[in-house]
């Protein structure tokens, strides 16, 4: 087979997040409406590689997927060895807004999955006017924890392998084996304690049960899509959340689990293309 170059290009941007210097890695492809993609807890932007390489999407969207601080190729800030990583609603929101501002994105669309989906809800609550549309994958205002995070960062346990084991059941059985194992491989490579630190936001700090009802979809359209096989954020969780938000668009995705964009890209494409077409359509 002849060599083939993927269309996405990777770069680093230096920026401050809440006054702390960071060096953030991102990949981008396409032109048009900015579409910022947020990966799941403990993972990185590779989860969105299929969207970045999809000409049907990139002909209308400038797709940007960045690694959150401490994730993937985004190194931790200076002095990280003296602190415990713990993601909060405030720090997560600040990172997203700082990236969008640093890249001078005008009214971007933001799409996030899992913790990325949860923070999208917070963007809709607190910063809706900054965005053209918001897409929350595998998202709800809150989920009851079903796992013991103490296993995720212990000296007697292989952190990467136990993280992959924890999330393996969240992948739908219809997902192609190659995509299933690629999704798991990303989790095996996370930094020590990072998945656990992300889940502090997901389990504790990011409880939005009392605030999602304040979302005004007249300011910024909101789309919620959840896989039917996701037992972390169940379809019922998402439907319950959507019922509190007048005007929210909600859909349960068949034959998909918690990582739709990486576990079964072709199936996910059937659901996300109509959403992106609707967002890109001329208003009026």
């Amino acid at each position: 087979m002849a060599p083939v170059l993927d269309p996405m290009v990777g770069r680093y941007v230096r920026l401050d997040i809440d006054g702390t210097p960071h060096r953030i890695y991102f990949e981008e492809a396409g032109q048009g409406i900015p579409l910022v993609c947020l990966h799941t807890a403990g993972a990185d932007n590779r989860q969105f590689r299929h969207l970045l390489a999809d000409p049907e999407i990139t002909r209308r969207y400038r797709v940007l997927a960045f690694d959150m601080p401490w994730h993937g190729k985004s190194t931790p800030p200076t002095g990280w060895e003296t602190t415990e990583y713990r993601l909060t609603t405030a720090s997560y929101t600040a990172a997203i807004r700082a990236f969008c501002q640093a890249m001078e994105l005008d009214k971007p669309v933001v799409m996030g999955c899992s913790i990325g989906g949860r923070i999208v809800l917070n963007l809709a609550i607190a910063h809706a006017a900054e965005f053209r549309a918001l897409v929350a994958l595998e998202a709800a205002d809150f989920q009851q924890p079903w796992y013991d995070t103490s296993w995720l960062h212990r000296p007697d346990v292989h952190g990467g392998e136990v993280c992959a084991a924890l999330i393996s059941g969240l992948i739908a059985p219809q997902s192609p084996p190659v995509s299933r194992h690629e999704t798991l491989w990303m989790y095996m490579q996370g930094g020590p304690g990072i998945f656990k630190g992300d889940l502090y936001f997901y389990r504790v700090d990011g409880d939005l049960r009392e605030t999602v009802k304040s979302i005004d979809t007249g300011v910024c359209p909101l789309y919620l899509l959840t896989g039917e096989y996701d037992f972390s954020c169940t379809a019922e969780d998402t439907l319950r959340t959507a019922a509190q938000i007048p005007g929210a668009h909600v859909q349960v995705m068949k034959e998909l689990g918690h990582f739709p964009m990486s576990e079964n890209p072709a199936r996910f494409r059937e659901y996300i293309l109509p959403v992106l077409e609707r967002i890109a359509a001329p208003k009026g």
Side-chain angles (χ1 to χ4, degrees):
M1 185 181 70
V4 177
L5 286 173
D6 278 351
M8 69 283 282
V9 174
R11 299 185 67 184
Y12 287 91
V13 58
R14 296 177 182 269
L15 51 81
D16 282 1
I17 302 174
D18 283 340
T20 300
H22 284 267
R23 183 169 178 259
I24 298 298
Y25 178 75
F26 69 98
E27 295 182 357
E28 68 170 305
Q31 58 187 350
I33 301 166
L35 171 61
V36 177
C37 299
L38 309 176
H39 59 74
T40 64
D44 57 62
N45 68 11
R46 287 176 292 175
Q47 291 180 322
F48 290 97
R49 72 176 183 88
H50 296 279
L51 267 72
L52 284 156
D54 190 331
E56 184 66 19
I57 295 174
T58 56
R59 69 181 177 88
R60 286 181 298 181
Y61 285 90
R62 178 190 177 191
V63 184
L64 304 100
F66 73 96
D67 291 342
M68 280 287 293
W70 301 72
H71 297 71
K73 293 184 179 180
S74 294
T75 51
T78 300
W80 66 268
E81 69 278 5
T82 65
T83 63
E84 178 184 1
Y85 171 72
R86 181 174 282 185
L87 186 66
T88 66
T89 305
S91 65
Y92 201 175
T93 301
I96 297 163
R97 297 179 73 215
F99 178 79
C100 292
Q101 292 163 12
M103 299 303 296
E104 299 181 345
L105 304 181
D106 181 26
K107 298 276 284 191
V109 178
V110 176
M111 175 168 62
C113 185
S114 187
I115 63 166
R118 177 80 63 80
I119 203 64
V120 158
L121 294 177
N122 190 64
L123 295 177
I125 292 165
H127 305 286
E130 298 177 15
F131 305 100
R132 180 185 180 114
L134 295 165
V135 183
L137 308 175
E138 317 305 323
D141 52 5
F142 184 76
Q143 291 89 39
Q144 290 295 334
W146 52 272
Y147 40 78
D148 180 0
T149 58
S150 65
W151 284 96
L152 302 181
H153 192 205
R154 288 174 46 157
D156 58 341
V157 174
H158 189 291
E161 292 185 347
V162 76
C163 288
L166 178 69
I167 62 95
S168 62
L170 295 173
I171 298 172
Q174 295 89 349
S175 297
V178 64
S179 299
R180 165 186 289 275
H181 291 289
E182 181 176 313
T183 300
L184 296 178
W185 179 251
M186 297 176 206
Y187 270 86
M188 295 179 188
Q189 296 181 316
I194 302 307
F195 189 24
K196 180 180 180 181
D198 283 341
L199 292 180
Y200 176 79
F201 161 74
Y202 199 57
R203 290 165 52 109
V204 180
D205 187 76
D207 186 345
L208 303 179
R209 283 176 289 188
E210 297 303 317
T211 52
V212 291
K213 61 187 69 173
S214 69
I215 293 174
D216 184 353
T217 57
V219 176
C220 179
L222 175 64
Y223 299 83
L224 296 94
L225 299 91
T226 292
E228 66 174 340
Y229 283 93
D230 188 349
F231 61 82
S232 178
C233 174
T234 66
E236 290 75 18
D237 289 329
T238 299
L239 293 170
R240 181 198 71 240
T241 302
Q244 303 175 67
I245 308 170
H249 305 274
V250 61
Q251 188 169 19
V252 177
M253 299 182 288
K254 300 296 184 182
E255 298 184 357
L256 287 168
H258 193 69
F259 311 94
M261 62 282 178
S262 65
E263 69 175 66
N264 195 337
R267 186 65 170 153
F268 176 59
R269 190 176 188 270
E270 298 174 13
Y271 288 97
I272 200 59
L273 278 182
V275 172
L276 295 178
E277 288 170 3
R278 184 169 183 171
I279 293 170
K283 300 298 185 289

